Amino acid sequence: GKRTAQLHLALASRQDIPAFAPEPFTPHYQRSIYQSLRTQIVQTLQLVRKRAKDNPELDALLAREDTLHQQIRAVLNGKIDAQRIRTHGDYHLGQVLYTGNDFVIIDFEGEPARPLSERRLKRSALRDVAGMLRSFHYAPYAVVFGTAPGSYVRTEDRTRLEAGARFWHQWVSAAFLRASLAESATGHHLPSQPEAVETLLNTFLLEKALYEIVYEINNRPDWVQIPLHGLMELAG
């Protein structure tokens, strides 16, 4: 969490380079976040409806459509005093290397499937934070749901392991977020109000989980229950 914040502080430190100079949030940008996510919800659930007959668990998500639309409206409630900066853009556990006593962040190309012009856009640093938090959710549940290579969980053990996975996910996420926010306090790229931080973070967590559902349906259908589980928690 500390290294993540230091990454964002560094990326936000060059006012003299136009491609890296931070830019303030505007009401128009907040509206664009909302419009983009509203479209993403509609498109994701359209795909889910097509595939729901093959996966009954997806039906539960369809029942939460109105809730999702209500939740993302929070990003429109008042001006957010934050900055848009250059970010990592594809941040998750696969992008950090453990040295034995520290972490090194790698792979700054952004999401390869997106055009370069889009990868260079300035965004909220909390988008990277949300990506890592979603990765913390994937790590234990890939084992619990038996989708990780080599993992096998007996049916009678799943409830107990899921309780452990929930505990691990919540506390690792809390430690990461606490350290990241504390280190970021020396900068100006995050909102000054905790409520605005929470609103943006929840918004980007929803965005990431929706993206993951589409990716898994199209590429790894057996894995879709992981982001589905995460999105149901966010919506519930």
Side-chain angles (χ1 to χ4, degrees):
K2 182 176 182 179
R3 293 289 178 252
T4 299
Q6 290 171 341
L7 164 68
H8 292 138
L9 288 168
L11 290 172
S13 68
R14 297 304 300 267
Q15 293 278 1
D16 57 320
I17 304 176
F20 283 84
E23 299 177 9
F25 268 51
T26 63
H28 175 74
Y29 180 63
Q30 289 175 230
R31 170 66 62 172
S32 72
I33 293 175
Y34 169 76
Q35 296 285 10
S36 175
L37 195 48
R38 187 175 69 171
T39 299
Q40 188 179 5
I41 291 172
V42 171
Q43 292 177 342
T44 300
L45 295 188
Q46 284 177 345
L47 178 62
V48 167
R49 285 187 182 91
K50 292 179 182 178
R51 304 294 180 87
K53 62 180 181 298
D54 301 321
N55 188 341
E57 292 181 344
L58 294 174
D59 286 331
L61 176 59
L62 297 176
R64 293 285 196 278
E65 184 170 6
D66 289 343
T67 300
L68 292 173
H69 282 290
Q70 291 170 8
Q71 284 182 306
I72 64 172
R73 291 197 63 84
V75 78
L76 299 176
N77 295 336
K79 180 173 172 52
I80 296 177
D81 62 334
Q83 293 176 333
R84 293 184 291 134
I85 65 172
R86 290 289 289 275
T87 62
H88 185 283
D90 189 23
Y91 201 49
H92 53 78
L93 284 169
Q95 310 289 36
V96 294
L97 302 177
Y98 183 52
T99 68
N101 60 4
D102 207 338
F103 291 95
V104 177
I105 301 169
I106 63 170
D107 199 357
F108 288 84
E109 67 179 2
E111 292 186 27
R114 298 183 184 275
L116 186 59
S117 59
E118 187 174 338
R119 289 184 250 170
R120 289 168 57 89
L121 290 176
K122 296 170 185 175
R123 306 177 186 273
S124 170
L126 289 170
R127 212 161 172 267
D128 281 348
V129 172
M132 185 60 75
L133 292 175
R134 288 295 309 135
S135 195
F136 290 153
H137 183 260
Y138 258 72
Y141 282 97
V143 176
V144 171
F145 292 146
T147 49
S151 67
Y152 172 75
V153 176
R154 297 183 305 174
T155 303
E156 58 268 31
D157 294 332
R158 180 166 167 174
T159 300
R160 183 165 55 90
L161 285 176
E162 190 165 356
R166 186 179 304 110
F167 178 89
W168 186 92
H169 168 234
Q170 289 178 348
W171 284 101
V172 168
S173 296
F176 171 83
L177 192 57
R178 186 185 306 114
S180 182
L181 293 177
E183 188 73 13
S184 294
T186 60
H188 303 286
H189 58 285
L190 296 187
S192 59
Q193 296 298 318
E195 295 83 3
V197 172
E198 183 178 5
T199 293
L200 282 180
L201 188 56
N202 286 338
T203 298
F204 295 132
L205 284 169
L206 285 171
E207 177 189 52
K208 185 66 173 177
L210 288 164
Y211 169 85
E212 291 164 353
I213 286 174
V214 172
Y215 178 86
E216 303 299 8
I217 286 177
N218 289 329
N219 296 279
R220 301 184 299 187
D222 292 343
W223 286 68
V224 73
Q225 57 189 326
I226 300 175
L228 177 61
H229 179 274
L231 187 58
M232 292 298 289
E233 283 191 346
L234 292 167

